Each structure stands twice: as structure tokens, then as C-alpha cells.
Amino acid sequence: MNQSERAASNENPDAGDEPDDLPWVLRARDGDAEAYDELVTRHRGRIFAMIRQMVKNDADAWDLSQEVFIKAWRALPRFEAKAKFSTWLYRIAHNAVYDWARRKRPEAGGELNDEIFGEERIDPASLTTPSSERRPDESLEGDELREKIEAALDKLSPEHREAVLLKDVNGLSYKEIAEVMECTLGTVMSRLFYARKKLQSILKDEYEAR
């Protein structure tokens, strides 16, 4: 283990969470552009998909994705590996999307007061969308269901939609989502509770058919 790797190991006792990314992160942090290209290749699909779900525009999503990776490259020397590299990228993407939204809709903004939903009412194991498992003869219905789910997500506020995408699509933990969205664990849980209830109401027929 070289000096850079030992330093990162000391910085991040949970670095083993991303054993494949860590060597590339260390090299990229030292200025290795080829190593950073590898990280971009690994993560650009998920970052683009996340942004695309938020901005609903391929061109803007592409531009914002490029912006995210440019900003990440410039900030990488200051990345201390105390969080997963992917979580750090999602945080940069979060900021990029909300900056974009403020430029597009300067009158919008403000934090939702969703702490009113008590944490004790939340089922952390609940799922946002119906099961993806289906019989072969259900393939046509599956396409229609996917469209309904996307339409239902569009009806959520940006904060609630982002929480759902980070948790149920990208698989982040509550703690990681709190880091990305810069809010408390309680806020994350209440946003997910509200969003899931809203989606379940919209998709009631699909849930009852499961």
C-alpha cells in the first residue's frame, strides 16, 4: 500500500464499501486523468439518469451531467474520502440541479416543511413502486406501468422526487441521502414517507393488482 492509499484508508474507515472505486479515486485525486475517465465511465449513466428524472430534458440533463463531472474533477484534490465517491457525486449533482432550477424558475425555492410527518409513522421497508417481477404475458402491461410510474413521479415536488430516486432507484442509505440533500435523517424519512404515500395513492390500481 502506497502513502496515498494509506492516507485514504485512515481518512475513511468504511472505504471498503467501494473497493473497486477506491484505487481509481486515489489515482485521480493525484491528477491521473485516465483514472478519472474510468470513474466517469463507471458513474455517468447513473448520474445522467438521476438528473434526467429531475429536469425532464435530455439536453439539459446532458449539460448538467458534464458540469457535475467537471466540478468533481476540479474539487477532487479536496475530496477526503470520508464518504463514498458515488455519494459525493450525487451531492454535486444535487447542487447542480437546484442551481439550474433556480436559474430557470427564480421565483421558486424554499425548503418544504415536511418534518410534520412523524418518523414513527414510516415503514422503512416500504417500496415506492410495484414489483418489477411479472409473467412473460405481462410484458405489454409492464411498459404501460413504467409510464404510469414516471408520470406519478412527475407529480411529486423536486425534493420528494429526488429522495425517492436516491433511495428506491439508486439504492442509497438514509444517511447517504441526508448527506446528498444536506438535511436530517428525519427529513429524509418524512420525505420518503410522504412521497411513497402519494405514489401509492396515484398507483392504487397497480398496487391492488399485485
Side-chain angles (χ1 to χ4, degrees):
M1 180 181 294
N2 61 36
Q3 183 176 359
S4 180
E5 289 171 330
R6 284 195 299 271
S9 178
N10 291 334
E11 289 169 354
N12 181 15
D14 297 322
D17 288 346
E18 286 189 323
D20 294 332
D21 273 351
L22 185 58
W24 300 101
V25 170
L26 295 173
R27 287 172 52 188
R29 193 172 64 174
D30 289 338
D32 187 332
E34 290 185 2
Y36 190 67
D37 283 343
E38 172 65 21
L39 291 169
V40 171
T41 299
R42 290 173 176 225
H43 295 282
R44 63 187 174 192
R46 282 178 291 178
I47 293 297
F48 174 83
M50 175 70 188
I51 293 175
R52 175 64 180 80
Q53 286 283 355
M54 296 296 294
V55 305
K56 300 299 177 184
N57 180 293
D58 285 343
D60 285 331
W62 174 256
D63 289 343
L64 287 169
S65 296
Q66 298 303 304
E67 179 182 329
V68 166
F69 285 106
I70 290 171
K71 287 183 175 180
W73 169 252
R74 292 172 177 170
L76 197 55
R78 301 189 299 275
F79 177 57
E80 298 180 350
K82 292 180 179 178
K84 290 182 180 180
F85 179 73
S86 57
T87 303
W88 185 65
L89 279 180
Y90 281 124
R91 178 64 200 154
I92 296 174
H94 167 92
N95 288 337
V97 167
Y98 279 83
D99 286 345
W100 172 88
R102 281 190 288 269
R103 293 194 299 268
K104 290 284 186 179
R105 298 183 296 276
E107 72 281 1
E111 189 74 13
L112 292 177
N113 183 22
D114 46 13
E115 293 282 4
I116 60 175
F117 297 99
E119 295 178 28
E120 69 278 359
R121 298 168 57 194
I122 301 166
D123 176 10
S126 64
L127 295 176
T128 300
T129 58
S131 172
S132 60
E133 296 180 3
R134 59 181 186 268
R135 300 187 306 272
D137 61 337
E138 295 176 322
S139 58
L140 292 178
E141 289 87 344
D143 291 337
E144 182 180 354
L145 175 57
R146 184 163 50 252
E147 291 178 0
K148 289 181 178 180
I149 291 171
E150 291 180 356
L153 284 169
D154 287 346
K155 296 180 181 179
L156 300 178
S157 71
E159 291 88 351
H160 292 107
R161 183 164 65 248
E162 183 179 17
V164 167
L165 293 171
L166 289 172
K167 179 63 177 173
D168 293 339
V169 177
N170 294 295
L172 272 67
S173 68
Y174 290 113
K175 180 180 178 181
E176 289 168 337
I177 296 171
E179 291 173 0
V180 169
M181 302 188 74
E182 287 191 329
C183 61
T184 66
L185 286 174
T187 298
V188 170
M189 296 175 74
S190 62
R191 285 178 180 174
L192 285 169
F193 171 81
Y194 175 87
R196 286 165 170 167
K197 289 297 183 184
K198 177 74 172 178
L199 289 173
Q200 288 173 3
S201 176
I202 296 171
L203 298 168
K204 181 179 179 181
D205 292 341
E206 282 72 25
Y207 272 90
E208 290 179 345
R210 283 196 301 172

PDB file of all heavy atoms in Angstrom, residues 150-179:
ATOM      1  N   GLU A 150     -43.518   6.795 -14.047  1.00  0.00           N
ATOM      2  CA  GLU A 150     -42.787   8.019 -14.381  1.00  0.00           C
ATOM      3  C   GLU A 150     -43.705   9.237 -14.307  1.00  0.00           C
ATOM      4  O   GLU A 150     -43.299  10.302 -13.831  1.00  0.00           O
ATOM      5  CB  GLU A 150     -42.170   7.887 -15.774  1.00  0.00           C
ATOM      6  CG  GLU A 150     -41.038   6.866 -15.838  1.00  0.00           C
ATOM      7  CD  GLU A 150     -40.443   6.740 -17.227  1.00  0.00           C
ATOM      8  OE1 GLU A 150     -40.967   7.406 -18.151  1.00  0.00           O
ATOM      9  OE2 GLU A 150     -39.469   5.991 -17.395  1.00  0.00           O
ATOM     10  N   ALA A 151     -44.940   9.072 -14.772  1.00  0.00           N
ATOM     11  CA  ALA A 151     -45.896  10.181 -14.703  1.00  0.00           C
ATOM     12  C   ALA A 151     -46.225  10.517 -13.253  1.00  0.00           C
ATOM     13  O   ALA A 151     -46.378  11.692 -12.893  1.00  0.00           O
ATOM     14  CB  ALA A 151     -47.170   9.818 -15.465  1.00  0.00           C
ATOM     15  N   ALA A 152     -46.319   9.485 -12.410  1.00  0.00           N
ATOM     16  CA  ALA A 152     -46.600   9.719 -10.992  1.00  0.00           C
ATOM     17  C   ALA A 152     -45.437  10.437 -10.319  1.00  0.00           C
ATOM     18  O   ALA A 152     -45.642  11.344  -9.504  1.00  0.00           O
ATOM     19  CB  ALA A 152     -46.875   8.382 -10.294  1.00  0.00           C
ATOM     20  N   LEU A 153     -44.206  10.062 -10.653  1.00  0.00           N
ATOM     21  CA  LEU A 153     -43.035  10.737 -10.092  1.00  0.00           C
ATOM     22  C   LEU A 153     -43.029  12.214 -10.456  1.00  0.00           C
ATOM     23  O   LEU A 153     -42.613  13.065  -9.662  1.00  0.00           O
ATOM     24  CB  LEU A 153     -41.752  10.065 -10.587  1.00  0.00           C
ATOM     25  CG  LEU A 153     -41.385   8.727  -9.948  1.00  0.00           C
ATOM     26  CD1 LEU A 153     -40.258   8.057 -10.720  1.00  0.00           C
ATOM     27  CD2 LEU A 153     -40.988   8.908  -8.488  1.00  0.00           C
ATOM     28  N   ASP A 154     -43.499  12.521 -11.665  1.00  0.00           N
ATOM     29  CA  ASP A 154     -43.530  13.915 -12.111  1.00  0.00           C
ATOM     30  C   ASP A 154     -44.442  14.772 -11.242  1.00  0.00           C
ATOM     31  O   ASP A 154     -44.302  15.998 -11.200  1.00  0.00           O
ATOM     32  CB  ASP A 154     -44.002  14.003 -13.566  1.00  0.00           C
ATOM     33  CG  ASP A 154     -42.948  13.510 -14.540  1.00  0.00           C
ATOM     34  OD1 ASP A 154     -41.787  13.353 -14.122  1.00  0.00           O
ATOM     35  OD2 ASP A 154     -43.291  13.287 -15.714  1.00  0.00           O
ATOM     36  N   LYS A 155     -45.398  14.142 -10.553  1.00  0.00           N
ATOM     37  CA  LYS A 155     -46.352  14.888  -9.737  1.00  0.00           C
ATOM     38  C   LYS A 155     -45.809  15.208  -8.347  1.00  0.00           C
ATOM     39  O   LYS A 155     -46.449  15.940  -7.591  1.00  0.00           O
ATOM     40  CB  LYS A 155     -47.665  14.103  -9.627  1.00  0.00           C
ATOM     41  CG  LYS A 155     -48.376  13.933 -10.970  1.00  0.00           C
ATOM     42  CD  LYS A 155     -49.672  13.152 -10.820  1.00  0.00           C
ATOM     43  CE  LYS A 155     -50.360  12.983 -12.175  1.00  0.00           C
ATOM     44  NZ  LYS A 155     -51.621  12.209 -12.057  1.00  0.00           N
ATOM     45  N   LEU A 156     -44.646  14.651  -8.015  1.00  0.00           N
ATOM     46  CA  LEU A 156     -44.030  14.944  -6.725  1.00  0.00           C
ATOM     47  C   LEU A 156     -43.232  16.240  -6.805  1.00  0.00           C
ATOM     48  O   LEU A 156     -42.797  16.655  -7.874  1.00  0.00           O
ATOM     49  CB  LEU A 156     -43.099  13.805  -6.308  1.00  0.00           C
ATOM     50  CG  LEU A 156     -43.714  12.418  -6.130  1.00  0.00           C
ATOM     51  CD1 LEU A 156     -42.625  11.422  -5.757  1.00  0.00           C
ATOM     52  CD2 LEU A 156     -44.810  12.433  -5.075  1.00  0.00           C
ATOM     53  N   SER A 157     -43.009  16.853  -5.658  1.00  0.00           N
ATOM     54  CA  SER A 157     -42.129  18.022  -5.611  1.00  0.00           C
ATOM     55  C   SER A 157     -40.703  17.569  -5.913  1.00  0.00           C
ATOM     56  O   SER A 157     -40.373  16.379  -5.762  1.00  0.00           O
ATOM     57  CB  SER A 157     -42.175  18.660  -4.226  1.00  0.00           C
ATOM     58  OG  SER A 157     -41.522  17.823  -3.283  1.00  0.00           O
ATOM     59  N   PRO A 158     -39.818  18.478  -6.330  1.00  0.00           N
ATOM     60  CA  PRO A 158     -38.431  18.079  -6.609  1.00  0.00           C
ATOM     61  C   PRO A 158     -37.757  17.394  -5.424  1.00  0.00           C
ATOM     62  O   PRO A 158     -37.030  16.415  -5.602  1.00  0.00           O
ATOM     63  CB  PRO A 158     -37.752  19.416  -6.944  1.00  0.00           C
ATOM     64  CG  PRO A 158     -38.849  20.267  -7.481  1.00  0.00           C
ATOM     65  CD  PRO A 158     -40.067  19.887  -6.682  1.00  0.00           C
ATOM     66  N   GLU A 159     -37.997  17.899  -4.200  1.00  0.00           N
ATOM     67  CA  GLU A 159     -37.355  17.315  -3.027  1.00  0.00           C
ATOM     68  C   GLU A 159     -37.818  15.883  -2.784  1.00  0.00           C
ATOM     69  O   GLU A 159     -37.021  14.992  -2.475  1.00  0.00           O
ATOM     70  CB  GLU A 159     -37.645  18.167  -1.784  1.00  0.00           C
ATOM     71  CG  GLU A 159     -36.969  19.524  -1.795  1.00  0.00           C
ATOM     72  CD  GLU A 159     -37.824  20.580  -2.480  1.00  0.00           C
ATOM     73  OE1 GLU A 159     -38.860  20.208  -3.097  1.00  0.00           O
ATOM     74  OE2 GLU A 159     -37.459  21.766  -2.402  1.00  0.00           O
ATOM     75  N   HIS A 160     -39.131  15.653  -2.921  1.00  0.00           N
ATOM     76  CA  HIS A 160     -39.661  14.313  -2.688  1.00  0.00           C
ATOM     77  C   HIS A 160     -39.257  13.364  -3.811  1.00  0.00           C
ATOM     78  O   HIS A 160     -38.936  12.197  -3.561  1.00  0.00           O
ATOM     79  CB  HIS A 160     -41.184  14.372  -2.555  1.00  0.00           C
ATOM     80  CG  HIS A 160     -41.641  15.067  -1.317  1.00  0.00           C
ATOM     81  ND1 HIS A 160     -42.206  16.318  -1.329  1.00  0.00           N
ATOM     82  CD2 HIS A 160     -41.585  14.699  -0.011  1.00  0.00           C
ATOM     83  CE1 HIS A 160     -42.501  16.684  -0.086  1.00  0.00           C
ATOM     84  NE2 HIS A 160     -42.128  15.726   0.729  1.00  0.00           N
ATOM     85  N   ARG A 161     -39.264  13.858  -5.048  1.00  0.00           N
ATOM     86  CA  ARG A 161     -38.864  13.008  -6.170  1.00  0.00           C
ATOM     87  C   ARG A 161     -37.402  12.604  -6.045  1.00  0.00           C
ATOM     88  O   ARG A 161     -37.040  11.446  -6.273  1.00  0.00           O
ATOM     89  CB  ARG A 161     -39.105  13.738  -7.496  1.00  0.00           C
ATOM     90  CG  ARG A 161     -38.782  12.877  -8.719  1.00  0.00           C
ATOM     91  CD  ARG A 161     -39.382  13.464  -9.990  1.00  0.00           C
ATOM     92  NE  ARG A 161     -38.804  14.746 -10.338  1.00  0.00           N
ATOM     93  CZ  ARG A 161     -39.450  15.911 -10.304  1.00  0.00           C
ATOM     94  NH1 ARG A 161     -40.709  15.965  -9.904  1.00  0.00           N
ATOM     95  NH2 ARG A 161     -38.851  17.035 -10.656  1.00  0.00           N
ATOM     96  N   GLU A 162     -36.551  13.543  -5.656  1.00  0.00           N
ATOM     97  CA  GLU A 162     -35.129  13.229  -5.513  1.00  0.00           C
ATOM     98  C   GLU A 162     -34.907  12.185  -4.424  1.00  0.00           C
ATOM     99  O   GLU A 162     -34.108  11.254  -4.592  1.00  0.00           O
ATOM    100  CB  GLU A 162     -34.334  14.492  -5.189  1.00  0.00           C
ATOM    101  CG  GLU A 162     -32.839  14.238  -5.090  1.00  0.00           C
ATOM    102  CD  GLU A 162     -32.038  15.489  -4.798  1.00  0.00           C
ATOM    103  OE1 GLU A 162     -32.631  16.496  -4.353  1.00  0.00           O
ATOM    104  OE2 GLU A 162     -30.816  15.459  -5.004  1.00  0.00           O
ATOM    105  N   ALA A 163     -35.603  12.318  -3.308  1.00  0.00           N
ATOM    106  CA  ALA A 163     -35.450  11.346  -2.221  1.00  0.00           C
ATOM    107  C   ALA A 163     -35.833   9.943  -2.683  1.00  0.00           C
ATOM    108  O   ALA A 163     -35.142   8.960  -2.385  1.00  0.00           O
ATOM    109  CB  ALA A 163     -36.299  11.762  -1.020  1.00  0.00           C
ATOM    110  N   VAL A 164     -36.930   9.843  -3.429  1.00  0.00           N
ATOM    111  CA  VAL A 164     -37.375   8.543  -3.938  1.00  0.00           C
ATOM    112  C   VAL A 164     -36.349   7.961  -4.905  1.00  0.00           C
ATOM    113  O   VAL A 164     -35.999   6.774  -4.833  1.00  0.00           O
ATOM    114  CB  VAL A 164     -38.745   8.682  -4.636  1.00  0.00           C
ATOM    115  CG1 VAL A 164     -39.074   7.424  -5.433  1.00  0.00           C
ATOM    116  CG2 VAL A 164     -39.834   8.941  -3.604  1.00  0.00           C
ATOM    117  N   LEU A 165     -35.850   8.779  -5.810  1.00  0.00           N
ATOM    118  CA  LEU A 165     -34.887   8.289  -6.794  1.00  0.00           C
ATOM    119  C   LEU A 165     -33.598   7.825  -6.126  1.00  0.00           C
ATOM    120  O   LEU A 165     -33.035   6.787  -6.490  1.00  0.00           O
ATOM    121  CB  LEU A 165     -34.586   9.385  -7.819  1.00  0.00           C
ATOM    122  CG  LEU A 165     -35.751   9.776  -8.740  1.00  0.00           C
ATOM    123  CD1 LEU A 165     -35.402  11.016  -9.552  1.00  0.00           C
ATOM    124  CD2 LEU A 165     -36.125   8.624  -9.660  1.00  0.00           C
ATOM    125  N   LEU A 166     -33.129   8.586  -5.153  1.00  0.00           N
ATOM    126  CA  LEU A 166     -31.895   8.210  -4.468  1.00  0.00           C
ATOM    127  C   LEU A 166     -32.062   6.910  -3.688  1.00  0.00           C
ATOM    128  O   LEU A 166     -31.159   6.066  -3.673  1.00  0.00           O
ATOM    129  CB  LEU A 166     -31.453   9.330  -3.525  1.00  0.00           C
ATOM    130  CG  LEU A 166     -30.917  10.599  -4.192  1.00  0.00           C
ATOM    131  CD1 LEU A 166     -30.713  11.698  -3.156  1.00  0.00           C
ATOM    132  CD2 LEU A 166     -29.612  10.324  -4.937  1.00  0.00           C
ATOM    133  N   LYS A 167     -33.225   6.734  -3.055  1.00  0.00           N
ATOM    134  CA  LYS A 167     -33.440   5.550  -2.219  1.00  0.00           C
ATOM    135  C   LYS A 167     -33.852   4.335  -3.036  1.00  0.00           C
ATOM    136  O   LYS A 167     -33.224   3.277  -2.963  1.00  0.00           O
ATOM    137  CB  LYS A 167     -34.511   5.855  -1.158  1.00  0.00           C
ATOM    138  CG  LYS A 167     -34.832   4.672  -0.246  1.00  0.00           C
ATOM    139  CD  LYS A 167     -33.633   4.238   0.574  1.00  0.00           C
ATOM    140  CE  LYS A 167     -33.989   3.108   1.525  1.00  0.00           C
ATOM    141  NZ  LYS A 167     -32.788   2.578   2.212  1.00  0.00           N
ATOM    142  N   ASP A 168     -34.923   4.462  -3.808  1.00  0.00           N
ATOM    143  CA  ASP A 168     -35.541   3.293  -4.428  1.00  0.00           C
ATOM    144  C   ASP A 168     -34.988   2.961  -5.806  1.00  0.00           C
ATOM    145  O   ASP A 168     -35.179   1.847  -6.284  1.00  0.00           O
ATOM    146  CB  ASP A 168     -37.055   3.492  -4.521  1.00  0.00           C
ATOM    147  CG  ASP A 168     -37.709   3.506  -3.142  1.00  0.00           C
ATOM    148  OD1 ASP A 168     -37.093   2.987  -2.202  1.00  0.00           O
ATOM    149  OD2 ASP A 168     -38.818   4.039  -3.010  1.00  0.00           O
ATOM    150  N   VAL A 169     -34.320   3.908  -6.448  1.00  0.00           N
ATOM    151  CA  VAL A 169     -33.728   3.639  -7.758  1.00  0.00           C
ATOM    152  C   VAL A 169     -32.223   3.439  -7.641  1.00  0.00           C
ATOM    153  O   VAL A 169     -31.666   2.481  -8.167  1.00  0.00           O
ATOM    154  CB  VAL A 169     -34.044   4.778  -8.754  1.00  0.00           C
ATOM    155  CG1 VAL A 169     -33.356   4.520 -10.098  1.00  0.00           C
ATOM    156  CG2 VAL A 169     -35.550   4.911  -8.951  1.00  0.00           C
ATOM    157  N   ASN A 170     -31.557   4.346  -6.899  1.00  0.00           N
ATOM    158  CA  ASN A 170     -30.099   4.274  -6.805  1.00  0.00           C
ATOM    159  C   ASN A 170     -29.602   3.532  -5.572  1.00  0.00           C
ATOM    160  O   ASN A 170     -28.408   3.257  -5.465  1.00  0.00           O
ATOM    161  CB  ASN A 170     -29.513   5.691  -6.839  1.00  0.00           C
ATOM    162  CG  ASN A 170     -29.750   6.363  -8.179  1.00  0.00           C
ATOM    163  OD1 ASN A 170     -29.236   5.933  -9.201  1.00  0.00           O
ATOM    164  ND2 ASN A 170     -30.559   7.407  -8.187  1.00  0.00           N
ATOM    165  N   GLY A 171     -30.492   3.223  -4.637  1.00  0.00           N
ATOM    166  CA  GLY A 171     -30.132   2.361  -3.526  1.00  0.00           C
ATOM    167  C   GLY A 171     -29.297   2.996  -2.436  1.00  0.00           C
ATOM    168  O   GLY A 171     -28.618   2.287  -1.689  1.00  0.00           O
ATOM    169  N   LEU A 172     -29.338   4.321  -2.287  1.00  0.00           N
ATOM    170  CA  LEU A 172     -28.579   4.963  -1.229  1.00  0.00           C
ATOM    171  C   LEU A 172     -29.240   4.718   0.125  1.00  0.00           C
ATOM    172  O   LEU A 172     -30.454   4.522   0.210  1.00  0.00           O
ATOM    173  CB  LEU A 172     -28.466   6.473  -1.475  1.00  0.00           C
ATOM    174  CG  LEU A 172     -27.283   6.935  -2.341  1.00  0.00           C
ATOM    175  CD1 LEU A 172     -27.433   6.440  -3.777  1.00  0.00           C
ATOM    176  CD2 LEU A 172     -27.153   8.452  -2.311  1.00  0.00           C
ATOM    177  N   SER A 173     -28.440   4.745   1.173  1.00  0.00           N
ATOM    178  CA  SER A 173     -28.965   4.608   2.525  1.00  0.00           C
ATOM    179  C   SER A 173     -29.570   5.934   2.972  1.00  0.00           C
ATOM    180  O   SER A 173     -29.356   6.982   2.348  1.00  0.00           O
ATOM    181  CB  SER A 173     -27.845   4.207   3.489  1.00  0.00           C
ATOM    182  OG  SER A 173     -26.916   5.274   3.635  1.00  0.00           O
ATOM    183  N   TYR A 174     -30.317   5.898   4.084  1.00  0.00           N
ATOM    184  CA  TYR A 174     -30.883   7.137   4.617  1.00  0.00           C
ATOM    185  C   TYR A 174     -29.771   8.139   4.935  1.00  0.00           C
ATOM    186  O   TYR A 174     -29.900   9.335   4.668  1.00  0.00           O
ATOM    187  CB  TYR A 174     -31.702   6.851   5.876  1.00  0.00           C
ATOM    188  CG  TYR A 174     -32.984   6.098   5.625  1.00  0.00           C
ATOM    189  CD1 TYR A 174     -33.152   4.802   6.096  1.00  0.00           C
ATOM    190  CD2 TYR A 174     -34.028   6.679   4.913  1.00  0.00           C
ATOM    191  CE1 TYR A 174     -34.331   4.101   5.861  1.00  0.00           C
ATOM    192  CE2 TYR A 174     -35.207   5.988   4.675  1.00  0.00           C
ATOM    193  CZ  TYR A 174     -35.352   4.699   5.154  1.00  0.00           C
ATOM    194  OH  TYR A 174     -36.514   4.011   4.915  1.00  0.00           O
ATOM    195  N   LYS A 175     -28.696   7.649   5.518  1.00  0.00           N
ATOM    196  CA  LYS A 175     -27.581   8.528   5.879  1.00  0.00           C
ATOM    197  C   LYS A 175     -26.968   9.164   4.637  1.00  0.00           C
ATOM    198  O   LYS A 175     -26.661  10.369   4.627  1.00  0.00           O
ATOM    199  CB  LYS A 175     -26.516   7.737   6.644  1.00  0.00           C
ATOM    200  CG  LYS A 175     -25.316   8.573   7.069  1.00  0.00           C
ATOM    201  CD  LYS A 175     -24.296   7.730   7.823  1.00  0.00           C
ATOM    202  CE  LYS A 175     -23.076   8.569   8.207  1.00  0.00           C
ATOM    203  NZ  LYS A 175     -22.061   7.753   8.920  1.00  0.00           N
ATOM    204  N   GLU A 176     -26.780   8.371   3.588  1.00  0.00           N
ATOM    205  CA  GLU A 176     -26.194   8.904   2.355  1.00  0.00           C
ATOM    206  C   GLU A 176     -27.111   9.935   1.706  1.00  0.00           C
ATOM    207  O   GLU A 176     -26.644  10.958   1.189  1.00  0.00           O
ATOM    208  CB  GLU A 176     -25.900   7.755   1.390  1.00  0.00           C
ATOM    209  CG  GLU A 176     -24.741   6.876   1.832  1.00  0.00           C
ATOM    210  CD  GLU A 176     -24.634   5.590   1.032  1.00  0.00           C
ATOM    211  OE1 GLU A 176     -25.648   5.156   0.447  1.00  0.00           O
ATOM    212  OE2 GLU A 176     -23.534   5.010   0.998  1.00  0.00           O
ATOM    213  N   ILE A 177     -28.418   9.670   1.735  1.00  0.00           N
ATOM    214  CA  ILE A 177     -29.369  10.634   1.167  1.00  0.00           C
ATOM    215  C   ILE A 177     -29.321  11.939   1.954  1.00  0.00           C
ATOM    216  O   ILE A 177     -29.363  13.034   1.380  1.00  0.00           O
ATOM    217  CB  ILE A 177     -30.792  10.056   1.159  1.00  0.00           C
ATOM    218  CG1 ILE A 177     -30.857   8.829   0.240  1.00  0.00           C
ATOM    219  CG2 ILE A 177     -31.805  11.106   0.693  1.00  0.00           C
ATOM    220  CD1 ILE A 177     -32.160   8.064   0.332  1.00  0.00           C
ATOM    221  N   ALA A 178     -29.226  11.837   3.276  1.00  0.00           N
ATOM    222  CA  ALA A 178     -29.128  13.039   4.106  1.00  0.00           C
ATOM    223  C   ALA A 178     -27.883  13.842   3.746  1.00  0.00           C
ATOM    224  O   ALA A 178     -27.916  15.080   3.713  1.00  0.00           O
ATOM    225  CB  ALA A 178     -29.105  12.650   5.585  1.00  0.00           C
ATOM    226  N   GLU A 179     -26.783  13.152   3.458  1.00  0.00           N
ATOM    227  CA  GLU A 179     -25.553  13.839   3.058  1.00  0.00           C
ATOM    228  C   GLU A 179     -25.730  14.523   1.711  1.00  0.00           C
ATOM    229  O   GLU A 179     -25.302  15.667   1.516  1.00  0.00           O
ATOM    230  CB  GLU A 179     -24.395  12.836   2.993  1.00  0.00           C
ATOM    231  CG  GLU A 179     -23.966  12.292   4.348  1.00  0.00           C
ATOM    232  CD  GLU A 179     -22.937  11.179   4.228  1.00  0.00           C
ATOM    233  OE1 GLU A 179     -22.565  10.839   3.085  1.00  0.00           O
ATOM    234  OE2 GLU A 179     -22.508  10.655   5.264  1.00  0.00           O
TER     235      GLU A 179
END
